[in-house]
């Protein structure tokens, strides 16, 4: 019996040492220590031994069981440790790898230029006013000296919402809204989106941006207008920039003018961008018409003023050398990510 016990012990310990996975260990435990296991069988047969042998064999059997049990549990522990070590090895993260950066947005060129233009005028003491994009016919046309059926309305193809409400065709209506609320001196700029029912092409978009200016005070003259706009052009396009004013007509100013700046691309010698003229038209301006001052509840006998309106999209295109206004509105990331 001693020999049997020793054999069982040896076999069990060998197979524990060879076991590859925890399933194997469980099978070994059942095989030797289970209810029908080999060691259990032997212990059952103890009764047949002589009284002298019984305690000796009993002690040996218990020792064998103890050896097998402790071999099993230390092997289980070893396997757990190996599994953990393997997982740790396989799941290590290389913290030195660069992360995935979420793409960072940037300012739209229109916003960048608007910020620059605004800065220039804030520097000259202007403040920013805003008006609604859905506007009354009254402010968009009538109070700007363009009554119903006035031919000048035809130059601004308008999106009407109903007979009295429309999408503003320019930022000029805000002139009236500000004058109604504020007494002179007034010195404001009005940036904003405007709408016209134009067919889309390289220079026309049904939505575009303007920046309006209005100055009303005592003794404002055409000289103030020219001085402010000349300073603006130099700050914006460079100190060498020259300006020229050409007579024009707007119903809401008298006299009226358009201002050109010397071409940013060629400096005035003539190129493709300025159609070889050396000049780029960037805004309309003039002395506020007395009728318009009256619509704004301002006495034209005491006050005078000048106003201007520029197309921001044109300024953007000049600065960046963009030749198609549609690019500003298509939201093509390949275009926008260049800024
Ligand atoms: N509102 C005019 C337009 O959209 C631009 C303009 C011209 C605005 C002369 C003015 C101005 O304030 O004085 O064509």
């Amino acid at each position: 019996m001693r020999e049997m016990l020793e054999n069982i012990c040896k076999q069990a310990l060998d197979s524990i040492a060879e076991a590859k996975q925890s399933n194997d260990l469980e099978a070994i435990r059942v095989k030797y220590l289970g209810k029908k296991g080999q060691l259990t069988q032997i212990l059952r047969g103890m009764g047949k031994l002589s009284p002298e042998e019984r305690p000796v064999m009993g002690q040996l059997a218990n020792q064998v069981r103890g050896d097998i049990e402790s071999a099993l549990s230390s092997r289980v522990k070893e396997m757990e440790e190996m599994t953990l070590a393997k997982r740790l090895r396989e799941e290590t993260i290389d913290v030195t790898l660069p992360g995935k950066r979420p793409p960072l947005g940037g300012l739209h060129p229109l916003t960048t230029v608007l910020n620059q233009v605004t800065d220039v005028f804030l520097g000259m003491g202007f403040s920013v006013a805003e008006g609604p994009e859905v506007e009354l016919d009254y402010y968009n046309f009538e109070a700007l000296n363009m009554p119903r059926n006035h031919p000048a309305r035809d130059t601004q193809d308008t999106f009407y919402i109903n007979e009295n409400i429309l999408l503003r065709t320019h930022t000029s209506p805000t002139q009236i809204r500000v004058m109604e609320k504020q007494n002179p001196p007034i010195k404001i700029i009005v940036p904003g989106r405007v709408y016209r029912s134009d067919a889309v092409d390289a220079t026309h978009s049904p939505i575009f941006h303007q920046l309006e200016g209005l100055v009303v005070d005592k003794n404002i003259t055409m000289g103030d207008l020219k001085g402010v706009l000349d300073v603006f052009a130099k700050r914006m396009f460079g100190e060498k920039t020259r300006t020229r004013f050409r007579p024009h007509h707007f119903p809401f100013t008298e006299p009226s003018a358009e201002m050109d700046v010397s071409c940013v691309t060629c400096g005035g010698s003539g190129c493709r961008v300025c159609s070889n003229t050396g000049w780029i038209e960037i805004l309309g301006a003039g002395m506020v018409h007395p009728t318009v001052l009256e619509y704004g509840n301002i006495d034209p006998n005491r006050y005078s003023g000048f106003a201007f309106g520029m197309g921001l999209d044109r300024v953007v295109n000049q600065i960046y050398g963009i030749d198609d206004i549609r690019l500003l509105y298509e939201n093509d990331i390949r275009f926008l990510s260049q800024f």
Side-chain angles (χ1 to χ4, degrees), residues 156 169-170 172 175 196 210 212-213 250 252-253 284-286 307-309:
Q156 303 188 353
T169 56
H170 50 180
S172 306
Q175 289 189 26
R196 288 189 201 176
Q210 287 190 338
E212 192 82 12
F250 298 105
F252 32 90
T253 45
F308 57 90

Side-chain angles (χ1 to χ4, degrees), residues 134-152:
V134 180
E135 185 54 285
L136 293 173
D137 182 284
Y138 174 79
Y139 288 108
N140 196 82
F141 289 127
E142 209 156 319
L144 290 169
N145 206 19
M146 283 184 277
R148 269 174 215 280
N149 303 319
H150 192 288

Side-chain angles (χ1 to χ4, degrees), residues 30-44:
V30 172
K31 181 171 171 192
Y32 295 99
L33 308 179
K35 267 192 196 142
K36 295 178 184 162
Q38 291 181 17
L39 190 63
T40 318
Q41 304 283 348
I42 289 184
L43 287 169
R44 286 219 183 100

